[in-house]
Structure formats: C-alpha cells, structure tokens
C-alpha cells in the first residue's frame, strides 16, 4: 500500500463504498417478484423496497454540504457507509416487508451522505489537471454497477436465499470502511456555520415528494392518480419556495450561485441526459431481449456486460482527454456516439441478431463513458473549491431525479404505445412491444442529439476559465517574486 500514492488510495476508498451502494440497489430490482412471494405482498407494497431507498437518498443529499462543513468530510463519509452497512445487516434479518422497507430507508440515508462526498473527497485529493482521470476511475463504479447488478441479483435469487442480497454488501463495504478510516484525510470544519432549517424543510419536502411520486409511477393509470399528481404539484411548489429562501439567506443549505458558472450548468444538463439514457436503456433492453426475442435473464445480463466494460474503459480515456484537452472534444463526441448508438436501437426488427443489439449497447457505453464523468468533472472544476460539496450534492440530486424520470417516462410510454398498437394494427404482442421499444429508444436518442450543443458550450466555458486562471497566475508571479 505504501507504493500507491495517497491520492489514489482516496479513490480506492470512496470507490469501494460507492460501488457497494450502487450495486446493491441495482441487484434488488429483479428481486421484487421474489420478495412479493416471500412476504405474500402485492407489487405496489413490495415496490416500496426500491422506492424508499431512492426517496431517503434524495432527501439526504442536500444536507451533505452543511454536514461535511460542520463535522468534516471524512467523518461524514464513514458515518454514511456505516449506516448503509447497518441497514444491510438489519435488512438481511427482516421479519416482515415493513421492517425490510424501514431498513432500506436506513441504507438510503447512508447512501445519500456518501454519494456527493465521493466527488468532493476526490476533488480535495487531486489537483485540477488530474481530476479527469481520477473521476474516470471512480466513475467505473457509477456506470458498471447498475449494469451488472441485475444479473448478479438474478443469480443470487436463483441459487441462494434473498438475504444474501444484503449480506453480500459486507465484504466490500467493510473493506471500504477500513480504507476510509486509514487513508482519507481529515478535513477542516467550518466554524460558526448556521443551519438553514427552512431551506432544509422545503428541499426535503420537495425532493422527497417528487421522488416518491415518480417511484409510484410505472403505468398510465398511476400517472393520472390524484395522489401522485398532488405529490408532483406539492413537490414543485416546495422547490420554488426553497429557491426563494436560498436566494435570500446568508448561509444557504445549497448555494444556488454555483449555477452562475455556466460550465457547471451545462455539466448538470449533460449528467441528467446521460442518466436518463442509461436508466431508460436499463428498462427497455430487458423488455426487448426477454419479451420480444424470448431469451432468458442470463442473456439479458450478458447483453449489459460489454456496455459496462466499454463505459469503464472510456471513462478513463475520457478523463485523460479532459485533463489534456478540456471537455469540448470528449463530451461532444461522447454525446454524439451515445445518440447514434441509441438511435440505431430504434430500428430493430424481429429478425435482428442479439449480437447486434449487444454491440449497439456497447457503443452506447462508449458514449456514456466519454460524456458523463468528464462533463461532471469539468463542471465541478468551474465552481469555487469551498462549494464543491454543495455542487456535488446538487449534481447528484438532479441525476437521481432524472434517472427516476427516465424510468417513469419509458415505462409509461411503453405501456401506452404497446396497447395502442396491439389494439389498432392487428399486430402480435411481440410486434407491438418491439415498435413501442423502438420508439422509446428514438426518443432517448433525440434527447441526446439536442444535448450535443451543451458539450460544445461546456468546452467554450472551460476555455474561458482556463484563460482566466492563467491570467491570474501570471499576475501573481511578479508579486511573488517582488516579495
């Protein structure tokens, strides 16, 4: 360990924790039908196992900036990982569906503390010119875990008991705790920091209501559900009040001034579109492979593996390119490749080879690897160092919301269009499903195409900032030499 530079030990420490969280959450998605049988519960009630994690995680994220300033980033990261592991152990010993949902909520709180701090800790450990590669390595966890998680979860359900979905978190989680305790550096606490309680109340209610409503929507009837509509309206109103509060208070919970940095704003947009594309594909591809082509869940898992591998490889390549040339070429080419690969998946037929589908999904993985983490890194580099924790929290909240929105949109669109086509065109259910899936991919591709200018604008803003920093450094040199 002594031969590995300290800064890379920081990356390993946070990667172990975040990979554990994302992998566990994605493993549980295919386990919902099994848990319905275990606890003799309906789909709506069991779906809370997934929804509660998303809601508590999203509600906790806005707090991380304040808590890390008050107690230190290292302490908060370790606390979050410990909470997640506690929820995992308790989850494995759940005696009812209600208890399992509560313990999943504990996991979500822990995850909400950790995810924004992962970026902040890496930014603290690396100089500006090296952050791209470091974020690319860390991003492997964020990209690979959602793709291999469902396959691993399916294997566990088939070959073992559901409790191992939680107990398998312990090896990497405990290792992450040890690494974090040893290798993460203590950070300075901010004296006299004040808690923005009304900002906390409004953002918690706003984000919580929105994520709760989105988590309940998986079919058209739920979109028109009065409770869901009320939650969406209430959530939006609470977020409007939150913005007004944050613009007035002296010490806001989330400093919205970070959006004055245009590079950060463009990077958030790219992250949101990448998240929607990723999770939209995670929803649509299993339907295409299993419902249309009649293949099994194992083949579905295999279809995701090359995409995860290429995403990981090209995240590191994208990180290196970002450090050397800036984000314009990297992010723009990534968005273009992702858009083209996604659009190609919109022209599948019943005779299309499964290997072509796997190849096109791998191309999508290349695009995501080149666009998502480099954009996030460039955006975070554009804001002052003292706001990194808050900027990271905001980025994660938007990414969480867009992921949920992507799944809700494609699931409802698939259900409605398949029903329309099946009822009016005289098509088989497989043909109707294929058409709806193709259209879903084309809509996602359209969003990627219209986001390409954001990559170009991000590059321009990055160049302006680099020129400004070089100018400031040149002005400081004569002063330093005269002293």
């Amino acid at each position: 360990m002594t031969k590995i530079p300290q800064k890379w030990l920081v990356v390993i420490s946070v990667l172990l924790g975040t990979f554990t969280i994302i992998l566990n959450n994605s493993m549980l998605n295919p386990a919902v039908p099994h848990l319905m049988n275990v606890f003799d519960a309906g789909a709506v009630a069991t779906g809370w196992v997934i929804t509660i994690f998303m809601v508590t995680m999203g509600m906790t994220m806005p707090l991380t900036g304040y808590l890390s300033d008050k107690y230190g980033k290292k302490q908060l990261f370790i606390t979050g990982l410990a909470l997640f592991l506690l929820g995992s152990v308790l989850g494995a010993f759940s005696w009812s569906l209600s208890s399992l949902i509560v313990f999943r909520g504990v996991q979500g709180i822990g995850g909400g503390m950790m995810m924004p701090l992962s970026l902040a800790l890496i930014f603290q450990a690396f100089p500006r010119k090296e952050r791209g590669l470091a974020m690319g390595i860390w991003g492997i966890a964020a990209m690979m875990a959602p793709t291999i998680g469902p396959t691993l979860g399916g294997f566990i359900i088939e070959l073992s008991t559901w409790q191992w979905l939680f107990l398998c978190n312990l090896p990497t989680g405990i290792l992450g705790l040890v690494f974090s305790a040893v290798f993460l550096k203590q950070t300075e606490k901010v004296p006299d920091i004040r808690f923005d309680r009304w900002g906390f109340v409004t953002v918690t209610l706003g984000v919580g209501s929105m994520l709760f409503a989105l988590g309940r929507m998986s079919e058209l009837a739920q979109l028109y559900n009065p409770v869901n509509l009320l939650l969406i309206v209430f959530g939006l109103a609470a977020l409007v009040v939150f913005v007004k509060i944050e613009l007035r208070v002296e010490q806001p919970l989330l400093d919205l001034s970070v959006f004055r940095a245009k590079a950060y704003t463009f990077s958030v947009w790219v992250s949101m579109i990448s998240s929607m594309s990723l999770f939209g594909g995670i929803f649509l591809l299993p339907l295409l492979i299993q419902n249309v082509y009649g293949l099994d869940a194992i083949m579905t898992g295999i279809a995701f593996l090359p995409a995860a591998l290429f995403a990981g490889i090209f995240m590191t390549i994208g990180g290196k390119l970002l450090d050397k040339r800036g984000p314009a070429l990297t992010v723009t080419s990534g968005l273009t490749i992702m858009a083209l690969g996604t659009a190609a998946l919109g022209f599948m037929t019943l005779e299309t080879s499964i290997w072509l589908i796997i190849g096109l999904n791998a191309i999508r993985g290349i695009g995501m690897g080149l666009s998502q983490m480099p954009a996030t890194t460039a955006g975070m580099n554009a804001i002052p160092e003292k706001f990194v924790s808050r900027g990271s929290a905001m980025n994660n909240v938007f990414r969480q919301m867009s992921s949920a929105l992507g799944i809700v949109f494609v699931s409802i669109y698939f259900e409605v269009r398949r029903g329309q086509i099946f009822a009016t065109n005289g098509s088989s259910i497989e043909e109707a499903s294929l058409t709806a899936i193709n259209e879903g991919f084309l809509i996602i591709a359209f969003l990627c195409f219209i986001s390409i200018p954001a990559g170009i604008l991000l590059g321009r803003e990055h160049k302006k900032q680099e020129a400004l920093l070089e100018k400031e450094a040149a002005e400081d040199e004569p002063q330093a030499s005269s002293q």
Side-chain angles (χ1 to χ4, degrees), residues 77-405:
F77 185 85
I78 291 174
T79 301
L81 183 51
L83 264 179
F84 180 82
L85 291 175
L86 175 64
S88 299
V89 172
L90 294 173
F93 290 97
S94 297
W95 56 90
S96 66
L97 182 61
S98 298
S99 63
L100 179 60
I101 291 169
V102 170
F103 299 142
R104 279 285 288 162
V106 173
Q107 283 187 312
I109 293 171
M113 291 180 181
M114 291 173 59
M115 293 303 293
L117 287 178
S118 300
L119 276 68
L121 287 164
I122 291 173
F123 268 59
Q124 178 184 289
F126 284 81
R128 286 174 55 87
K129 292 292 186 181
E130 297 178 18
R131 289 171 178 170
L133 177 59
M135 289 294 292
I137 298 295
W138 175 83
I140 294 173
M143 193 63 73
M144 291 190 69
T147 55
I148 65 176
T151 306
L152 184 57
F155 273 113
I156 290 175
I157 290 298
E158 289 292 327
L159 303 176
S160 187
T161 60
W162 66 269
Q163 285 87 349
W164 285 102
L165 292 168
F166 294 90
L167 294 176
C168 70
N169 298 331
L170 298 183
T172 53
I174 292 172
L175 192 60
L177 267 181
V178 173
F179 267 68
S180 299
V182 175
F183 298 116
L184 294 185
K185 289 185 177 180
Q186 301 285 352
T187 57
E188 292 184 9
K189 301 173 186 178
V190 178
D192 303 323
I193 189 170
R194 283 181 287 179
F195 183 57
D196 174 18
R197 62 180 182 275
W198 292 115
F200 167 69
V201 170
T202 50
V203 75
T204 300
L205 290 174
V207 172
S209 298
M210 295 285 287
L211 288 175
F212 178 38
L214 292 173
R216 285 164 51 94
M217 296 179 187
S218 59
E219 56 188 36
L220 187 61
Q222 293 165 351
L223 183 63
Y224 296 125
N225 186 306
V227 175
N228 290 340
L229 292 174
L230 184 62
L231 285 168
I232 292 290
V233 172
F234 176 76
L236 288 172
L239 290 177
V240 169
V241 174
F242 167 72
V243 170
K244 291 183 177 180
I245 291 172
E246 298 308 277
L247 293 175
R248 292 177 182 176
V249 296
E250 186 179 340
Q251 294 187 18
L253 187 70
L254 291 175
D255 198 319
L256 301 180
S257 66
V258 294
F259 285 106
R260 291 175 188 162
K262 293 180 181 178
Y264 177 79
T265 304
F266 294 135
S267 76
V268 169
W269 174 255
V270 172
S271 293
M272 289 173 65
I273 295 301
S274 296
S275 296
M276 291 179 72
S277 179
L278 172 65
F279 285 92
I282 287 174
F283 179 86
L284 289 173
L285 270 178
L287 293 175
L288 179 65
I289 294 170
Q290 295 178 40
N291 292 15
V292 176
Y293 296 120
L295 301 173
D296 58 19
I298 293 176
M299 181 54 74
T300 303
I302 292 172
F304 280 111
L305 290 178
L309 178 63
F310 278 110
I313 292 171
F314 280 87
M315 271 190 181
T316 58
I317 294 172
K320 288 180 180 179
L321 287 172
L322 172 68
D323 291 335
K324 291 180 180 178
R325 299 187 179 182
L329 174 65
T330 310
V331 176
T332 305
S333 61
L335 288 169
T336 304
I337 292 168
M338 183 166 61
L340 291 172
T342 305
L345 283 170
F347 294 94
M348 298 297 100
T349 68
L350 291 174
E351 290 74 35
T352 300
S353 166
I354 183 65
W355 300 110
L356 176 60
I357 294 170
I358 292 172
L360 291 174
N361 196 41
I363 290 172
R364 276 168 39 88
I366 293 172
M368 288 181 193
L370 288 173
S371 59
Q372 191 174 58
M373 277 304 132
T376 298
T377 306
M380 297 285 286
N381 274 336
I383 61 178
E385 296 289 334
K386 63 179 180 178
F387 293 143
V388 165
S389 294
R390 286 168 168 76
S392 176
M394 204 122 51
N395 184 287
N396 275 273
V397 169
F398 277 108
R399 191 181 297 175
Q400 189 88 349
M401 300 267 290
S402 57
S403 300
L405 183 61

Side-chain angles (χ1 to χ4, degrees), residues 44-65:
V44 174
T46 312
W48 267 95
V49 173
I50 306 298
T51 304
I52 193 66
F53 182 90
M54 179 174 66
V55 172
T56 55
M57 188 175 184
M59 291 169 68
T60 306
M61 281 177 179
L63 269 175
T64 53

